Amino acid sequence: MSNYSTAQIDELVDATGVVPAVNQIKWTPELFDRERMAQLRERGIVLEGFSAIRLTDHDDPTLAKVANAHSVTPAQVLLRWHVQHGVVCLPRSVRPERIRENIDIWNFELSADELRLVDAMSTVV
């Protein structure tokens, strides 16, 4: 599934008895929605975020601060943020150096404070 609201998912499940395995939605720090993430988890649906790297300002001061603290790039912070929230993220690139960079997110971890900082970039009300 892609871009289904929680109400649409519930309607689908009520009508068919089938619970989707995944809901792929735009998911960036600016679109971070803890309630939506919890609703999907409560229903046993994996959240797959897309476009976080492309739609996020890599010059954002919060991302720069966190990236500098770990000597990584803002894109790596974004990918690690997804992982630590249990959100599937499938980055793509045709550039070998970016592919290597996207894979190299396992040698650091965001602290609870850093996660909260990135979460706070959300504009979702």
Side-chain angles (χ1 to χ4, degrees):
M1 299 182 64
S2 291
N3 300 312
Y4 276 65
S5 69
T6 304
Q8 290 170 319
I9 289 171
D10 290 343
E11 185 178 332
L12 174 73
V13 173
D14 289 345
T16 67
V18 176
V19 177
V22 176
N23 190 20
Q24 183 186 61
I25 59 177
K26 283 185 183 174
W27 197 255
T28 68
E30 293 85 359
L31 298 174
F32 179 70
D33 185 342
R34 187 175 303 282
E35 183 178 334
R36 180 117 187 251
M37 188 168 60
Q39 291 168 345
L40 291 172
R41 285 194 178 131
E42 288 167 3
R43 289 158 177 78
I45 300 169
V46 173
L47 192 165
E48 180 180 333
F50 71 87
S51 294
I53 293 175
R54 186 173 60 83
L55 296 177
T56 301
D57 177 8
H58 291 223
D59 294 323
D60 182 278
T62 298
L63 287 180
K65 177 182 177 180
V66 175
N68 288 336
H70 295 281
S71 299
V72 298
T73 67
Q76 288 172 304
V77 169
L78 289 168
L79 293 171
R80 188 68 201 184
W81 175 77
H82 276 75
V83 166
Q84 286 185 232
H85 273 303
V87 174
V88 173
C89 182
L90 302 174
R92 63 185 182 102
S93 180
V94 297
R95 296 175 51 192
E97 66 274 10
R98 289 270 171 85
I99 293 169
R100 282 190 295 278
E101 179 182 296
N102 289 344
I103 293 169
D104 191 21
I105 63 166
W106 304 106
N107 58 352
F108 73 99
E109 187 171 310
L110 303 179
S111 69
D113 286 340
E114 290 169 331
L115 278 173
R116 280 191 289 276
L117 277 174
V118 178
D119 292 353
M121 292 170 62
S122 178
T123 59
V124 174
V125 282

